[in-house]
Amino acid sequence: EKTDELVLVGTDGRQKRLSSFSQISSRLAWSPLSGRIYWTEYKQDPRWPLRSYSELRYLDPRGRKVSLSKKVRYYNPSPSPVDSLVAVTVYNESSTSAVALIDETWGFETERWETPSELQVVETAWADDELYASAISEEGFGIYRVDDWYCILKPCQAKINRMFGQDGRIWFTSDRDG
């Protein structure tokens, strides 16, 4: 089975392979500030099959694939539209989750928000300079403002996914109404 690839399609219709992905990777997220395309790739420890981690990667404007982190548990990147930061979902080994901000240049965490114990973060999205997260609880999926975990969209028994921010709004797909 062939894994997914990122290709550049030229104006003449020719394709140039830029990168291949591991078998499990997040959706692509474009940074309007840096021009980078971000994603995370799931990696399994070769020695211990139950141990896993991910790598935060990006493709720079010249088409070079770069790892911004290694052997961490970052998932579902969401680049800030106003700062050189990437928000990521963090799955801790203790079965809790968090949201972290990663510096685009150096790859270190600048800030981290642990979730309340009843929530498991899934994805993040920016509405201008405000960060939001979808999270699942016993009541279902909801949307929360990250800095204080204030509930913006009450949890319900419908899946929320593919969140992204555009023009100061949060967009997502849901199976609530088809």
Side-chain angles (χ1 to χ4, degrees):
E1 182 178 320
K2 190 174 179 181
T3 61
D4 292 336
E5 294 181 330
L6 181 62
V7 297
L8 174 66
V9 180
T11 55
D12 61 357
R14 290 186 181 180
Q15 296 182 11
K16 177 184 175 189
R17 183 186 163 280
L18 298 176
S19 177
S20 59
F21 299 104
S22 68
Q23 289 198 346
I24 301 174
S25 58
S26 71
R27 63 182 164 81
L28 302 176
W30 179 66
S31 171
L33 294 179
S34 66
R36 295 174 177 173
I37 297 173
Y38 285 93
W39 72 94
T40 56
E41 291 187 21
Y42 174 86
K43 301 288 183 181
Q44 193 170 20
D45 189 297
R47 184 171 179 189
W48 308 104
L50 295 179
R51 181 184 296 162
S52 64
Y53 52 90
S54 71
E55 292 185 9
L56 176 59
R57 294 189 163 170
Y58 69 85
L59 198 68
D60 70 13
R62 293 184 178 178
R64 293 179 297 202
K65 183 176 173 179
V66 180
S67 291
L68 197 56
S69 69
K70 291 185 181 204
K71 293 192 176 185
V72 292
R73 297 173 68 94
Y74 296 154
Y75 301 92
N76 302 323
S78 178
S80 169
V82 296
D83 292 318
S84 295
L85 300 169
V86 179
V88 291
T89 301
V90 181
Y91 295 127
N92 299 315
E93 288 185 10
S94 64
S95 297
T96 61
S97 65
V99 172
L101 294 181
I102 309 301
D103 177 273
E104 277 189 314
T105 304
W106 304 106
F108 60 82
E109 282 189 28
T110 63
E111 202 159 355
R112 183 186 276 231
W113 297 273
E114 299 292 332
T115 59
S117 61
E118 70 274 6
L119 296 178
Q120 182 78 32
V121 174
V122 179
E123 294 178 300
T124 57
W126 296 86
D128 295 328
D129 62 348
E130 197 76 49
L131 183 58
Y132 296 89
S134 66
I136 192 165
S137 66
E138 287 183 7
E139 291 82 35
F141 278 86
I143 297 179
Y144 303 84
R145 186 174 54 218
V146 170
D147 65 356
D148 58 2
W149 296 109
Y150 177 76
C151 184
I152 302 298
L153 181 63
K154 185 179 173 185
C156 65
Q157 297 299 318
K159 189 170 184 175
I160 292 172
N161 63 0
R162 300 204 176 272
M163 277 182 43
F164 68 94
Q166 183 176 335
D167 299 325
R169 295 182 176 158
I170 299 294
W171 298 84
F172 57 90
T173 60
S174 175
D175 61 358
R176 182 174 183 158
D177 60 5

